PDB file of all heavy atoms in Angstrom:
ATOM      1  N   TYR A   1       8.787 -16.353   3.436  1.00 95.00           N
ATOM      2  CA  TYR A   1       7.901 -15.563   4.274  1.00 95.00           C
ATOM      3  C   TYR A   1       8.300 -15.688   5.734  1.00 95.00           C
ATOM      4  O   TYR A   1       8.757 -16.745   6.187  1.00 95.00           O
ATOM      5  CB  TYR A   1       6.451 -16.025   4.109  1.00 95.00           C
ATOM      6  CG  TYR A   1       5.962 -15.964   2.684  1.00 95.00           C
ATOM      7  CD1 TYR A   1       6.088 -17.058   1.839  1.00 95.00           C
ATOM      8  CD2 TYR A   1       5.375 -14.806   2.187  1.00 95.00           C
ATOM      9  CE1 TYR A   1       5.643 -17.004   0.528  1.00 95.00           C
ATOM     10  CE2 TYR A   1       4.924 -14.745   0.882  1.00 95.00           C
ATOM     11  CZ  TYR A   1       5.060 -15.843   0.058  1.00 95.00           C
ATOM     12  OH  TYR A   1       4.615 -15.781  -1.241  1.00 95.00           O
ATOM     13  N   ASN A   2       8.099 -14.605   6.442  1.00 96.00           N
ATOM     14  CA  ASN A   2       8.328 -14.587   7.872  1.00 96.00           C
ATOM     15  C   ASN A   2       7.289 -13.680   8.521  1.00 96.00           C
ATOM     16  O   ASN A   2       6.982 -12.615   7.991  1.00 96.00           O
ATOM     17  CB  ASN A   2       9.742 -14.093   8.190  1.00 96.00           C
ATOM     18  CG  ASN A   2      10.154 -14.369   9.614  1.00 96.00           C
ATOM     19  OD1 ASN A   2       9.568 -15.203  10.299  1.00 96.00           O
ATOM     20  ND2 ASN A   2      11.191 -13.665  10.067  1.00 96.00           N
ATOM     21  N   TYR A   3       6.758 -14.109   9.672  1.00 97.00           N
ATOM     22  CA  TYR A   3       5.711 -13.369  10.358  1.00 97.00           C
ATOM     23  C   TYR A   3       6.022 -13.274  11.836  1.00 97.00           C
ATOM     24  O   TYR A   3       6.575 -14.195  12.435  1.00 97.00           O
ATOM     25  CB  TYR A   3       4.355 -14.051  10.193  1.00 97.00           C
ATOM     26  CG  TYR A   3       3.862 -14.136   8.772  1.00 97.00           C
ATOM     27  CD1 TYR A   3       4.079 -15.275   8.012  1.00 97.00           C
ATOM     28  CD2 TYR A   3       3.174 -13.076   8.194  1.00 97.00           C
ATOM     29  CE1 TYR A   3       3.633 -15.361   6.706  1.00 97.00           C
ATOM     30  CE2 TYR A   3       2.717 -13.149   6.893  1.00 97.00           C
ATOM     31  CZ  TYR A   3       2.951 -14.301   6.151  1.00 97.00           C
ATOM     32  OH  TYR A   3       2.491 -14.369   4.856  1.00 97.00           O
ATOM     33  N   ALA A   4       5.628 -12.154  12.402  1.00 97.00           N
ATOM     34  CA  ALA A   4       5.675 -12.028  13.846  1.00 97.00           C
ATOM     35  C   ALA A   4       4.621 -12.925  14.471  1.00 97.00           C
ATOM     36  O   ALA A   4       3.546 -13.153  13.899  1.00 97.00           O
ATOM     37  CB  ALA A   4       5.449 -10.576  14.271  1.00 97.00           C
ATOM     38  N   ASN A   5       4.920 -13.426  15.654  1.00 95.00           N
ATOM     39  CA  ASN A   5       3.969 -14.302  16.323  1.00 95.00           C
ATOM     40  C   ASN A   5       2.620 -13.619  16.565  1.00 95.00           C
ATOM     41  O   ASN A   5       1.580 -14.284  16.547  1.00 95.00           O
ATOM     42  CB  ASN A   5       4.544 -14.799  17.645  1.00 95.00           C
ATOM     43  CG  ASN A   5       5.682 -15.784  17.453  1.00 95.00           C
ATOM     44  OD1 ASN A   5       5.759 -16.472  16.443  1.00 95.00           O
ATOM     45  ND2 ASN A   5       6.568 -15.858  18.428  1.00 95.00           N
ATOM     46  N   SER A   6       2.642 -12.316  16.755  1.00 93.00           N
ATOM     47  CA  SER A   6       1.420 -11.598  17.062  1.00 93.00           C
ATOM     48  C   SER A   6       0.433 -11.562  15.903  1.00 93.00           C
ATOM     49  O   SER A   6      -0.759 -11.328  16.119  1.00 93.00           O
ATOM     50  CB  SER A   6       1.742 -10.170  17.510  1.00 93.00           C
ATOM     51  OG  SER A   6       2.412  -9.460  16.486  1.00 93.00           O
ATOM     52  N   VAL A   7       0.914 -11.773  14.684  1.00 95.00           N
ATOM     53  CA  VAL A   7       0.038 -11.704  13.522  1.00 95.00           C
ATOM     54  C   VAL A   7      -0.028 -13.015  12.762  1.00 95.00           C
ATOM     55  O   VAL A   7      -0.799 -13.123  11.798  1.00 95.00           O
ATOM     56  CB  VAL A   7       0.458 -10.574  12.561  1.00 95.00           C
ATOM     57  CG1 VAL A   7       0.553  -9.251  13.297  1.00 95.00           C
ATOM     58  CG2 VAL A   7       1.783 -10.908  11.881  1.00 95.00           C
ATOM     59  N   LYS A   8       0.739 -13.988  13.168  1.00 95.00           N
ATOM     60  CA  LYS A   8       0.761 -15.265  12.471  1.00 95.00           C
ATOM     61  C   LYS A   8      -0.630 -15.890  12.475  1.00 95.00           C
ATOM     62  O   LYS A   8      -1.275 -15.997  13.517  1.00 95.00           O
ATOM     63  CB  LYS A   8       1.782 -16.193  13.120  1.00 95.00           C
ATOM     64  CG  LYS A   8       2.155 -17.403  12.288  1.00 95.00           C
ATOM     65  CD  LYS A   8       3.331 -18.148  12.908  1.00 95.00           C
ATOM     66  CE  LYS A   8       4.572 -17.281  12.950  1.00 95.00           C
ATOM     67  NZ  LYS A   8       5.742 -18.005  13.515  1.00 95.00           N
ATOM     68  N   GLY A   9      -1.076 -16.286  11.298  1.00 96.00           N
ATOM     69  CA  GLY A   9      -2.410 -16.828  11.151  1.00 96.00           C
ATOM     70  C   GLY A   9      -3.464 -15.794  10.843  1.00 96.00           C
ATOM     71  O   GLY A   9      -4.587 -16.166  10.464  1.00 96.00           O
ATOM     72  N   ARG A  10      -3.149 -14.511  11.005  1.00 97.00           N
ATOM     73  CA  ARG A  10      -4.089 -13.437  10.697  1.00 97.00           C
ATOM     74  C   ARG A  10      -3.649 -12.598   9.502  1.00 97.00           C
ATOM     75  O   ARG A  10      -4.488 -12.172   8.712  1.00 97.00           O
ATOM     76  CB  ARG A  10      -4.277 -12.514  11.901  1.00 97.00           C
ATOM     77  CG  ARG A  10      -4.882 -13.179  13.119  1.00 97.00           C
ATOM     78  CD  ARG A  10      -5.353 -12.141  14.133  1.00 97.00           C
ATOM     79  NE  ARG A  10      -4.255 -11.291  14.595  1.00 97.00           N
ATOM     80  CZ  ARG A  10      -4.220  -9.969  14.469  1.00 97.00           C
ATOM     81  NH1 ARG A  10      -5.227  -9.323  13.872  1.00 97.00           N
ATOM     82  NH2 ARG A  10      -3.197  -9.277  14.939  1.00 97.00           N
ATOM     83  N   PHE A  11      -2.360 -12.328   9.395  1.00 98.00           N
ATOM     84  CA  PHE A  11      -1.824 -11.501   8.317  1.00 98.00           C
ATOM     85  C   PHE A  11      -1.138 -12.389   7.296  1.00 98.00           C
ATOM     86  O   PHE A  11      -0.489 -13.380   7.656  1.00 98.00           O
ATOM     87  CB  PHE A  11      -0.812 -10.484   8.847  1.00 98.00           C
ATOM     88  CG  PHE A  11      -1.388  -9.393   9.709  1.00 98.00           C
ATOM     89  CD1 PHE A  11      -2.713  -9.398  10.103  1.00 98.00           C
ATOM     90  CD2 PHE A  11      -0.580  -8.347  10.125  1.00 98.00           C
ATOM     91  CE1 PHE A  11      -3.236  -8.393  10.901  1.00 98.00           C
ATOM     92  CE2 PHE A  11      -1.087  -7.335  10.918  1.00 98.00           C
ATOM     93  CZ  PHE A  11      -2.409  -7.357  11.303  1.00 98.00           C
ATOM     94  N   THR A  12      -1.252 -12.016   6.039  1.00 98.00           N
ATOM     95  CA  THR A  12      -0.634 -12.761   4.959  1.00 98.00           C
ATOM     96  C   THR A  12       0.045 -11.805   3.994  1.00 98.00           C
ATOM     97  O   THR A  12      -0.588 -10.874   3.491  1.00 98.00           O
ATOM     98  CB  THR A  12      -1.665 -13.604   4.194  1.00 98.00           C
ATOM     99  OG1 THR A  12      -2.346 -14.481   5.094  1.00 98.00           O
ATOM    100  CG2 THR A  12      -0.979 -14.435   3.122  1.00 98.00           C
ATOM    101  N   ALA A  13       1.323 -12.034   3.753  1.00 96.00           N
ATOM    102  CA  ALA A  13       2.058 -11.256   2.770  1.00 96.00           C
ATOM    103  C   ALA A  13       2.064 -11.998   1.442  1.00 96.00           C
ATOM    104  O   ALA A  13       2.115 -13.235   1.401  1.00 96.00           O
ATOM    105  CB  ALA A  13       3.488 -11.001   3.236  1.00 96.00           C
ATOM    106  N   SER A  14       2.020 -11.246   0.357  1.00 94.00           N
ATOM    107  CA  SER A  14       2.058 -11.837  -0.964  1.00 94.00           C
ATOM    108  C   SER A  14       2.741 -10.874  -1.915  1.00 94.00           C
ATOM    109  O   SER A  14       2.997  -9.719  -1.581  1.00 94.00           O
ATOM    110  CB  SER A  14       0.652 -12.200  -1.458  1.00 94.00           C
ATOM    111  OG  SER A  14      -0.172 -11.048  -1.529  1.00 94.00           O
ATOM    112  N   ARG A  15       3.003 -11.352  -3.104  1.00 89.00           N
ATOM    113  CA  ARG A  15       3.758 -10.582  -4.081  1.00 89.00           C
ATOM    114  C   ARG A  15       3.069 -10.613  -5.422  1.00 89.00           C
ATOM    115  O   ARG A  15       2.539 -11.647  -5.832  1.00 89.00           O
ATOM    116  CB  ARG A  15       5.172 -11.145  -4.209  1.00 89.00           C
ATOM    117  CG  ARG A  15       6.043 -10.441  -5.240  1.00 89.00           C
ATOM    118  CD  ARG A  15       7.217 -11.311  -5.616  1.00 89.00           C
ATOM    119  NE  ARG A  15       8.118 -10.643  -6.548  1.00 89.00           N
ATOM    120  CZ  ARG A  15       9.029 -11.261  -7.276  1.00 89.00           C
ATOM    121  NH1 ARG A  15       9.179 -12.579  -7.171  1.00 89.00           N
ATOM    122  NH2 ARG A  15       9.809 -10.570  -8.102  1.00 89.00           N
ATOM    123  N   ALA A  16       3.092  -9.470  -6.102  1.00 84.00           N
ATOM    124  CA  ALA A  16       2.668  -9.372  -7.484  1.00 84.00           C
ATOM    125  C   ALA A  16       3.898  -9.216  -8.360  1.00 84.00           C
ATOM    126  O   ALA A  16       4.750  -8.366  -8.098  1.00 84.00           O
ATOM    127  CB  ALA A  16       1.716  -8.197  -7.685  1.00 84.00           C
ATOM    128  N   ASN A  17       3.991 -10.030  -9.366  1.00 70.00           N
ATOM    129  CA  ASN A  17       5.135 -10.049 -10.266  1.00 70.00           C
ATOM    130  C   ASN A  17       4.622  -9.950 -11.696  1.00 70.00           C
ATOM    131  O   ASN A  17       3.733 -10.720 -12.076  1.00 70.00           O
ATOM    132  CB  ASN A  17       5.920 -11.340 -10.054  1.00 70.00           C
ATOM    133  CG  ASN A  17       7.235 -11.368 -10.804  1.00 70.00           C
ATOM    134  OD1 ASN A  17       7.699 -10.373 -11.322  1.00 70.00           O
ATOM    135  ND2 ASN A  17       7.832 -12.559 -10.858  1.00 70.00           N
ATOM    136  N   PRO A  18       5.116  -9.004 -12.500  1.00 66.00           N
ATOM    137  CA  PRO A  18       6.360  -8.220 -12.370  1.00 66.00           C
ATOM    138  C   PRO A  18       6.166  -6.788 -11.889  1.00 66.00           C
ATOM    139  O   PRO A  18       7.018  -5.936 -12.137  1.00 66.00           O
ATOM    140  CB  PRO A  18       6.867  -8.235 -13.805  1.00 66.00           C
ATOM    141  CG  PRO A  18       5.620  -8.135 -14.628  1.00 66.00           C
ATOM    142  CD  PRO A  18       4.568  -8.921 -13.863  1.00 66.00           C
ATOM    143  N   GLN A  19       5.088  -6.514 -11.204  1.00 70.00           N
ATOM    144  CA  GLN A  19       4.763  -5.140 -10.847  1.00 70.00           C
ATOM    145  C   GLN A  19       5.590  -4.607  -9.682  1.00 70.00           C
ATOM    146  O   GLN A  19       5.421  -3.444  -9.298  1.00 70.00           O
ATOM    147  CB  GLN A  19       3.275  -5.024 -10.503  1.00 70.00           C
ATOM    148  CG  GLN A  19       2.343  -5.205 -11.691  1.00 70.00           C
ATOM    149  CD  GLN A  19       2.073  -6.657 -12.012  1.00 70.00           C
ATOM    150  OE1 GLN A  19       2.527  -7.557 -11.324  1.00 70.00           O
ATOM    151  NE2 GLN A  19       1.313  -6.889 -13.076  1.00 70.00           N
ATOM    152  N   ASN A  20       6.455  -5.442  -9.109  1.00 84.00           N
ATOM    153  CA  ASN A  20       7.257  -5.028  -7.962  1.00 84.00           C
ATOM    154  C   ASN A  20       6.366  -4.502  -6.841  1.00 84.00           C
ATOM    155  O   ASN A  20       6.620  -3.443  -6.264  1.00 84.00           O
ATOM    156  CB  ASN A  20       8.299  -3.986  -8.365  1.00 84.00           C
ATOM    157  CG  ASN A  20       9.348  -4.549  -9.290  1.00 84.00           C
ATOM    158  OD1 ASN A  20       9.639  -5.743  -9.274  1.00 84.00           O
ATOM    159  ND2 ASN A  20       9.942  -3.682 -10.105  1.00 84.00           N
ATOM    160  N   THR A  21       5.344  -5.256  -6.542  1.00 91.00           N
ATOM    161  CA  THR A  21       4.380  -4.889  -5.526  1.00 91.00           C
ATOM    162  C   THR A  21       4.217  -6.035  -4.544  1.00 91.00           C
ATOM    163  O   THR A  21       4.133  -7.199  -4.949  1.00 91.00           O
ATOM    164  CB  THR A  21       3.020  -4.549  -6.143  1.00 91.00           C
ATOM    165  OG1 THR A  21       3.172  -3.489  -7.093  1.00 91.00           O
ATOM    166  CG2 THR A  21       2.023  -4.131  -5.079  1.00 91.00           C
ATOM    167  N   VAL A  22       4.188  -5.713  -3.280  1.00 93.00           N
ATOM    168  CA  VAL A  22       3.861  -6.683  -2.248  1.00 93.00           C
ATOM    169  C   VAL A  22       2.604  -6.221  -1.530  1.00 93.00           C
ATOM    170  O   VAL A  22       2.320  -5.021  -1.446  1.00 93.00           O
ATOM    171  CB  VAL A  22       5.015  -6.919  -1.250  1.00 93.00           C
ATOM    172  CG1 VAL A  22       6.215  -7.519  -1.954  1.00 93.00           C
ATOM    173  CG2 VAL A  22       5.392  -5.624  -0.545  1.00 93.00           C
ATOM    174  N   PHE A  23       1.869  -7.173  -1.015  1.00 96.00           N
ATOM    175  CA  PHE A  23       0.624  -6.912  -0.320  1.00 96.00           C
ATOM    176  C   PHE A  23       0.698  -7.471   1.087  1.00 96.00           C
ATOM    177  O   PHE A  23       1.420  -8.421   1.363  1.00 96.00           O
ATOM    178  CB  PHE A  23      -0.558  -7.548  -1.059  1.00 96.00           C
ATOM    179  CG  PHE A  23      -0.700  -7.103  -2.480  1.00 96.00           C
ATOM    180  CD1 PHE A  23      -0.124  -7.825  -3.509  1.00 96.00           C
ATOM    181  CD2 PHE A  23      -1.409  -5.957  -2.787  1.00 96.00           C
ATOM    182  CE1 PHE A  23      -0.254  -7.418  -4.821  1.00 96.00           C
ATOM    183  CE2 PHE A  23      -1.548  -5.538  -4.096  1.00 96.00           C
ATOM    184  CZ  PHE A  23      -0.968  -6.270  -5.113  1.00 96.00           C
ATOM    185  N   LEU A  24      -0.081  -6.885   1.939  1.00 97.00           N
ATOM    186  CA  LEU A  24      -0.280  -7.418   3.272  1.00 97.00           C
ATOM    187  C   LEU A  24      -1.778  -7.473   3.530  1.00 97.00           C
ATOM    188  O   LEU A  24      -2.439  -6.433   3.577  1.00 97.00           O
ATOM    189  CB  LEU A  24       0.409  -6.568   4.340  1.00 97.00           C
ATOM    190  CG  LEU A  24       0.328  -7.127   5.760  1.00 97.00           C
ATOM    191  CD1 LEU A  24       1.139  -8.414   5.880  1.00 97.00           C
ATOM    192  CD2 LEU A  24       0.811  -6.096   6.780  1.00 97.00           C
ATOM    193  N   GLN A  25      -2.293  -8.677   3.661  1.00 98.00           N
ATOM    194  CA  GLN A  25      -3.700  -8.868   3.987  1.00 98.00           C
ATOM    195  C   GLN A  25      -3.835  -9.011   5.493  1.00 98.00           C
ATOM    196  O   GLN A  25      -3.207  -9.885   6.093  1.00 98.00           O
ATOM    197  CB  GLN A  25      -4.261 -10.092   3.272  1.00 98.00           C
ATOM    198  CG  GLN A  25      -5.744 -10.310   3.531  1.00 98.00           C
ATOM    199  CD  GLN A  25      -6.332 -11.426   2.704  1.00 98.00           C
ATOM    200  OE1 GLN A  25      -5.708 -11.915   1.765  1.00 98.00           O
ATOM    201  NE2 GLN A  25      -7.545 -11.831   3.037  1.00 98.00           N
ATOM    202  N   LEU A  26      -4.644  -8.158   6.067  1.00 98.00           N
ATOM    203  CA  LEU A  26      -4.863  -8.138   7.506  1.00 98.00           C
ATOM    204  C   LEU A  26      -6.262  -8.664   7.781  1.00 98.00           C
ATOM    205  O   LEU A  26      -7.252  -8.020   7.433  1.00 98.00           O
ATOM    206  CB  LEU A  26      -4.718  -6.727   8.078  1.00 98.00           C
ATOM    207  CG  LEU A  26      -3.350  -6.032   8.039  1.00 98.00           C
ATOM    208  CD1 LEU A  26      -2.975  -5.605   6.624  1.00 98.00           C
ATOM    209  CD2 LEU A  26      -3.372  -4.799   8.938  1.00 98.00           C
ATOM    210  N   ASN A  27      -6.343  -9.818   8.394  1.00 98.00           N
ATOM    211  CA  ASN A  27      -7.618 -10.433   8.735  1.00 98.00           C
ATOM    212  C   ASN A  27      -7.827 -10.407  10.239  1.00 98.00           C
ATOM    213  O   ASN A  27      -6.887 -10.261  11.016  1.00 98.00           O
ATOM    214  CB  ASN A  27      -7.681 -11.870   8.231  1.00 98.00           C
ATOM    215  CG  ASN A  27      -7.666 -11.976   6.726  1.00 98.00           C
ATOM    216  OD1 ASN A  27      -8.146 -11.084   6.021  1.00 98.00           O
ATOM    217  ND2 ASN A  27      -7.130 -13.076   6.213  1.00 98.00           N
ATOM    218  N   SER A  28      -9.070 -10.591  10.623  1.00 97.00           N
ATOM    219  CA  SER A  28      -9.438 -10.647  12.040  1.00 97.00           C
ATOM    220  C   SER A  28      -8.852  -9.471  12.802  1.00 97.00           C
ATOM    221  O   SER A  28      -8.201  -9.622  13.838  1.00 97.00           O
ATOM    222  CB  SER A  28      -8.979 -11.980  12.652  1.00 97.00           C
ATOM    223  OG  SER A  28      -9.552 -13.075  11.976  1.00 97.00           O
ATOM    224  N   LEU A  29      -9.097  -8.287  12.291  1.00 97.00           N
ATOM    225  CA  LEU A  29      -8.510  -7.078  12.860  1.00 97.00           C
ATOM    226  C   LEU A  29      -8.954  -6.865  14.294  1.00 97.00           C
ATOM    227  O   LEU A  29     -10.103  -7.138  14.661  1.00 97.00           O
ATOM    228  CB  LEU A  29      -8.893  -5.868  12.019  1.00 97.00           C
ATOM    229  CG  LEU A  29      -8.200  -5.745  10.663  1.00 97.00           C
ATOM    230  CD1 LEU A  29      -8.919  -4.723   9.794  1.00 97.00           C
ATOM    231  CD2 LEU A  29      -6.739  -5.353  10.854  1.00 97.00           C
ATOM    232  N   THR A  30      -8.029  -6.361  15.080  1.00 96.00           N
ATOM    233  CA  THR A  30      -8.307  -5.944  16.445  1.00 96.00           C
ATOM    234  C   THR A  30      -7.888  -4.498  16.609  1.00 96.00           C
ATOM    235  O   THR A  30      -7.177  -3.931  15.773  1.00 96.00           O
ATOM    236  CB  THR A  30      -7.564  -6.818  17.469  1.00 96.00           C
ATOM    237  OG1 THR A  30      -6.164  -6.510  17.439  1.00 96.00           O
ATOM    238  CG2 THR A  30      -7.768  -8.296  17.169  1.00 96.00           C
ATOM    239  N   GLN A  31      -8.323  -3.878  17.700  1.00 96.00           N
ATOM    240  CA  GLN A  31      -7.920  -2.504  17.965  1.00 96.00           C
ATOM    241  C   GLN A  31      -6.410  -2.389  18.126  1.00 96.00           C
ATOM    242  O   GLN A  31      -5.845  -1.323  17.861  1.00 96.00           O
ATOM    243  CB  GLN A  31      -8.631  -1.963  19.205  1.00 96.00           C
ATOM    244  CG  GLN A  31     -10.107  -1.680  18.982  1.00 96.00           C
ATOM    245  CD  GLN A  31     -10.757  -1.073  20.199  1.00 96.00           C
ATOM    246  OE1 GLN A  31     -10.943  -1.749  21.208  1.00 96.00           O
ATOM    247  NE2 GLN A  31     -11.102   0.205  20.100  1.00 96.00           N
ATOM    248  N   GLY A  32      -5.760  -3.448  18.535  1.00 95.00           N
ATOM    249  CA  GLY A  32      -4.315  -3.434  18.647  1.00 95.00           C
ATOM    250  C   GLY A  32      -3.597  -3.319  17.325  1.00 95.00           C
ATOM    251  O   GLY A  32      -2.398  -3.004  17.293  1.00 95.00           O
ATOM    252  N   ASP A  33      -4.292  -3.564  16.228  1.00 97.00           N
ATOM    253  CA  ASP A  33      -3.695  -3.420  14.906  1.00 97.00           C
ATOM    254  C   ASP A  33      -3.701  -1.981  14.426  1.00 97.00           C
ATOM    255  O   ASP A  33      -3.114  -1.683  13.376  1.00 97.00           O
ATOM    256  CB  ASP A  33      -4.433  -4.297  13.899  1.00 97.00           C
ATOM    257  CG  ASP A  33      -4.333  -5.774  14.227  1.00 97.00           C
ATOM    258  OD1 ASP A  33      -3.248  -6.221  14.650  1.00 97.00           O
ATOM    259  OD2 ASP A  33      -5.347  -6.476  14.056  1.00 97.00           O
ATOM    260  N   THR A  34      -4.369  -1.103  15.140  1.00 97.00           N
ATOM    261  CA  THR A  34      -4.372   0.313  14.790  1.00 97.00           C
ATOM    262  C   THR A  34      -2.958   0.874  14.806  1.00 97.00           C
ATOM    263  O   THR A  34      -2.152   0.530  15.673  1.00 97.00           O
ATOM    264  CB  THR A  34      -5.258   1.096  15.761  1.00 97.00           C
ATOM    265  OG1 THR A  34      -6.623   0.726  15.556  1.00 97.00           O
ATOM    266  CG2 THR A  34      -5.126   2.598  15.548  1.00 97.00           C
TER     267      THR A  34
END
């Protein structure tokens, strides 16, 4: 995993296997995330 400093601690990437799907969970949203 690798994260930009701007989202570290707020966004989390994960993977579903074997569905070939990745997720991005966005927490503590701000208007800058628009």
Side-chain angles (χ1 to χ4, degrees):
Y1 303 91
N2 194 18
Y3 297 95
N5 290 333
S6 61
V7 306
K8 195 171 297 182
R10 297 194 300 121
F11 291 7
T12 304
S14 60
R15 178 198 183 197
N17 188 12
Q19 291 83 3
N20 293 333
T21 303
V22 296
F23 303 93
L24 184 68
Q25 182 174 348
L26 294 72
N27 294 330
S28 301
L29 287 165
T30 72
Q31 288 183 289
D33 297 320
T34 292

